[in-house]
Amino acid sequence: MAEGDVRRRLTEKEPAARQISSGGDSRRLLEAPQAAEAVGKDVDSAEEDNTNVEEFESGMEADEQLRNLSQAKDTEIEAELGRRGFSSRARNWIVRFIFTVFMIVMFSFLVSLGPLALIALVLLIQIRCFQEIINIGYCIYKTQNLPWFRSLSWYFLLASNYFYYGENMIDYFGVFLSKTDFLQPFVTYHRFISFVLYCLGIVWFVLSLRKHYYFRQFSMFAWTHITLLIVNSAAFFFVQNIFQGLIWFLVPVSMIICNDIMAYMFGFFFGKTPLIKLSPKKTWEGFIGGGFSTVVFGILMSLVMIQYPYFICPVEYNEDEVRLATDCTPGYQFQLQQYTLPKLLQLIGFKHIKMYPFVWHSLSLSLFSSVIGPFGGFFASGFKRAFKIKDFGDMIPGHGGIMDRFDCQILMACFVNVYIRSFIRVANPNAMMSQIMRMESEDQVTLFNSLKNYLGSHGLLPIEQAPIGAT
C-alpha cells in the first residue's frame, strides 16, 4: 500500500476512533449495536493502518541504514595513495596487501603463545562475527521501537557459549574442575544449567512480544538462532580441532587463507572469465590458480609442521605441571610409512614410496578448501546481495568486516571436525577420565577390574592377585 493511501485511510477513520476513545453517546451505541461493531472495526483498522505507516517509514529508514552499514570511509593510507595518483584498483590492492601481511604476522604471534591464545582468538572472532550479522537485523528492527531484540540476541549468545565451551572444558579439564569444590556443581549439572538458561531466554522473548509486531519479532528470533547455529557451531568445531593437535587447526585455516590470497592474485592479474553471478569479481582463472596453489601449499606446510611435536601432539591438561601440554610420542599419522606404488609405476622402476600419512590427509583438506570452501564465500555474497550491502563491516581496511574474512572458514572448520571423527580420531583419555571421575565408587571398581582382566588376558599386564572387591 502506498504511503499516501495509508495516510488517507487513517485520516478518514480518525473521527470514529476518537468517538469511541472519548466515550461517545452510550445510548446511541446501545440502540445501534451494529453501528458500534462497525466503529470498533474501524478503530482496529485504523490501528493496523497506523502500523502500516510506521512500517513503511521504518522500512525506508532501515534501507538507508543498511546502505550506510558497510560504507567505510577511506583510511589514511587510501587517502594518501589517492593524493599520489594511484587508481582505485591499485589503492585497493596495496591496502589489502598491507593488512593481509599484518594479519598473518599477528596470527603467527598468537600461535607462538599457545593453544589458549588461539582459543581466545576464536572466541573474539566468534563474538565479532555474531555482532556483524546481528547489526544487519538490528538496522531493520530498532526503528520499530520494539524492546529487547539486541539484549535477547546477546543473552542467547552467552547461554549457547556456556553450553558449547562448557562441553569442551569438561572434556579436557573435567578431572581438574571436579576437584574444585566451587566448580564441581557446574561440571555435574552443566547441561541442566544450560537448558535452564535457554528456557529463561524463551520466557524473556515471549514477555517482550507486542501486538501487531508478532511476525517481525519471530522473524528476528529466527534470525538470531540461525546466526547462532552458523557462528557458534564453527567456533565449537575450531576449539575441538585445536585440542586434537594444533596442526589440525593451523593447516586447514592456512589453506583457506592461501586459497583466498592466491585466488585474488590470479584473478587480479589473469582473471577474465566470470565464475559465478553472486560474486562478479570471482573468475575461473582465480578459482583454478587458487586451488592449485592451495594443494602445493598444504603439502609443504604439512611436511614442515610434522617435524615439531608442538604442532602434532593433542592438547592435554597436565595436572603435575598445571598447564596445557603438547608433548607426546608422534602417532601413526605423523610417522613415515612405506607405500607400494601401482604396477604401472613399478614398470618404470618405482616400487615403493615413503610418506607421512598426514600428507595424504592434507590432500583431502586442500581439495575441500579449494573446491568446496569458496562456496562459503558465495553463500555470504548472496546474503549481502539480499540486503544490498557490500561488506559485513569495515573493521579491516581493504577486506571489510571479520565475517568477510571468515565466511569460508566456517565450512572448513565443520569439514575438518567431521573428517577427524570419521577417519582419524581415537578415544580421548581426558574425556574418559572425566566421565570415570563422575561415576559411583562401585562402578569405578567394576570398570577397573574389567580393564585389568582385559589387559592381563592380552599380556599387557601380569595377572596377580584377585581383582579389587572380589570375594
Side-chain angles (χ1 to χ4, degrees):
M1 184 181 294
E3 182 181 10
D5 294 337
V6 172
R7 292 189 179 280
R8 185 167 56 255
R9 286 189 57 194
L10 186 59
T11 303
E12 292 172 353
K13 294 171 183 178
E14 279 181 353
R18 286 197 298 269
Q19 182 178 353
I20 292 301
S21 61
S22 61
D25 188 344
S26 60
R27 287 182 301 177
R28 183 178 301 173
L29 291 179
L30 290 174
E31 293 173 356
Q34 294 180 348
E37 182 180 355
V39 173
K41 290 181 178 179
D42 284 344
V43 173
D44 292 337
S45 180
E47 291 178 355
E48 292 177 1
D49 287 342
N50 186 43
T51 300
N52 289 335
V53 171
E54 292 179 2
E55 291 186 351
F56 182 86
E57 294 174 344
S58 62
M60 295 176 62
E61 183 178 348
D63 289 341
E64 182 65 24
Q65 291 169 344
L66 284 173
R67 283 193 294 269
N68 295 331
L69 183 64
S70 63
Q71 292 180 358
K73 296 180 179 179
D74 287 347
T75 62
E76 292 292 335
I77 298 176
E78 291 173 308
E80 179 62 27
L81 291 173
R83 287 192 290 269
R84 296 193 179 191
F86 286 89
S87 67
S88 176
R89 191 181 185 193
R91 292 201 304 270
N92 179 268
W93 194 93
I94 295 172
V95 171
R96 193 181 181 96
F97 174 79
I98 291 173
F99 281 91
T100 296
V101 173
F102 174 76
M103 287 189 290
I104 291 175
V105 171
M106 292 302 298
F107 181 68
S108 302
F109 172 71
L110 290 174
V111 170
S112 69
L113 296 181
L116 284 180
L118 292 176
I119 293 174
L121 175 65
V122 169
L123 177 61
L124 293 175
I125 290 173
Q126 173 207 18
I127 292 173
R128 181 62 188 183
C129 289
F130 180 82
Q131 181 186 31
E132 289 178 351
I133 299 176
I134 287 298
N135 278 345
I136 298 174
Y138 189 65
C139 285
I140 302 172
Y141 189 82
K142 69 178 183 179
T143 56
Q144 300 295 326
N145 297 319
L146 299 178
W148 304 122
F149 167 60
R150 178 167 285 185
S151 300
L152 273 167
S153 298
W154 287 102
Y155 174 82
F156 279 118
L157 175 67
L158 177 65
S160 59
N161 271 349
Y162 175 81
F163 172 75
Y164 279 120
Y165 284 91
E167 290 286 299
N168 278 321
M169 294 303 103
I170 290 173
D171 279 349
Y172 294 95
F173 302 96
V175 176
F176 168 75
L177 296 175
S178 297
K179 293 180 179 180
T180 306
D181 293 336
F182 172 73
L183 296 176
Q184 200 276 333
F186 293 96
V187 175
T188 305
Y189 306 110
H190 169 70
R191 294 197 175 185
F192 179 77
I193 295 173
S194 300
F195 180 73
V196 170
L197 290 174
Y198 185 77
C199 287
L200 291 176
I202 293 293
V203 172
W204 186 0
F205 170 73
V206 171
L207 293 177
S208 72
L209 292 174
R210 285 183 57 183
K211 187 178 180 181
H212 301 305
Y213 297 103
Y214 295 150
F215 180 80
R216 180 63 59 85
Q217 287 183 279
F218 275 98
S219 296
M220 302 316 300
F221 180 82
W223 181 293
T224 298
H225 279 69
I226 291 297
T227 304
L228 289 173
L229 174 65
I230 295 173
V231 176
N232 284 20
S233 297
F236 174 75
F237 291 142
F238 272 131
V239 175
Q240 289 273 306
N241 298 343
I242 289 173
F243 279 111
Q244 291 300 314
L246 292 182
I247 196 169
W248 291 104
F249 171 77
L250 295 176
V251 169
V253 167
S254 300
M255 285 177 176
I256 291 292
I257 295 174
C258 173
N259 183 261
D260 189 46
I261 293 174
M262 298 310 297
Y264 177 81
M265 297 284 289
F266 276 91
F268 185 88
F269 291 107
F270 309 108
K272 294 180 180 179
T273 312
L275 175 62
I276 188 170
K277 291 183 179 179
L278 278 174
S279 190
K281 293 184 179 180
K282 304 293 184 182
T283 63
W284 275 106
E285 291 80 4
F287 184 79
I288 296 172
F292 177 77
S293 302
T294 302
V295 172
V296 175
F297 172 81
I299 293 174
L300 295 177
M301 186 175 185
S302 298
L303 289 173
V304 172
M305 285 195 166
I306 284 171
Q307 311 303 321
Y308 301 93
Y310 177 76
F311 296 116
I312 65 177
C313 291
V315 179
E316 298 179 349
Y317 179 73
N318 189 315
E319 287 192 78
D320 297 331
E321 300 180 10
V322 194
R323 67 178 182 89
L324 291 178
T326 53
D327 303 320
C328 68
T329 300
Y332 170 81
Q333 308 296 335
F334 308 106
Q335 295 179 3
L336 275 175
Q337 306 294 330
Q338 182 170 283
Y339 298 92
T340 302
L341 295 175
K343 292 183 179 180
L344 181 62
L345 294 177
Q346 292 182 20
L347 294 176
I348 58 177
F350 298 97
K351 295 184 178 181
H352 304 283
I353 184 176
K354 286 189 175 183
M355 184 60 66
Y356 294 97
F358 182 81
V359 173
W360 304 124
H361 296 307
S362 74
L363 282 175
S364 300
L365 299 180
S366 60
L367 287 173
F368 183 90
S369 64
S370 57
V371 177
I372 306 299
F375 280 84
F378 301 152
F379 178 88
S381 295
F383 181 88
K384 290 182 285 188
R385 278 181 170 271
F387 294 96
K388 298 180 177 62
I389 59 175
K390 182 178 182 294
D391 297 313
F392 284 97
D394 58 358
M395 186 175 182
I396 311 173
H399 293 266
I402 295 293
M403 189 65 193
D404 292 290
R405 292 299 90 218
F406 286 87
D407 44 16
C408 299
Q409 297 285 4
I410 291 174
L411 269 182
M412 193 66 189
C414 298
F415 173 73
V416 172
N417 191 264
V418 171
Y419 189 89
I420 292 174
R421 288 177 178 271
S422 300
F423 304 108
I424 307 296
R425 189 175 184 179
V426 296
N428 176 15
N430 284 330
M432 295 177 63
M433 279 301 300
S434 176
Q435 296 177 12
I436 293 172
M437 293 293 289
R438 298 198 297 272
M439 295 170 59
E440 298 292 335
S441 300
E442 295 80 2
D443 295 330
Q444 290 175 340
V445 172
T446 301
L447 177 63
F448 173 80
N449 289 332
S450 299
L451 182 60
K452 184 176 181 181
N453 290 335
Y454 173 83
L455 295 176
S457 65
H458 286 73
L460 298 175
L461 282 178
I463 302 178
E464 299 175 354
Q465 73 277 8
I468 296 176
T471 57

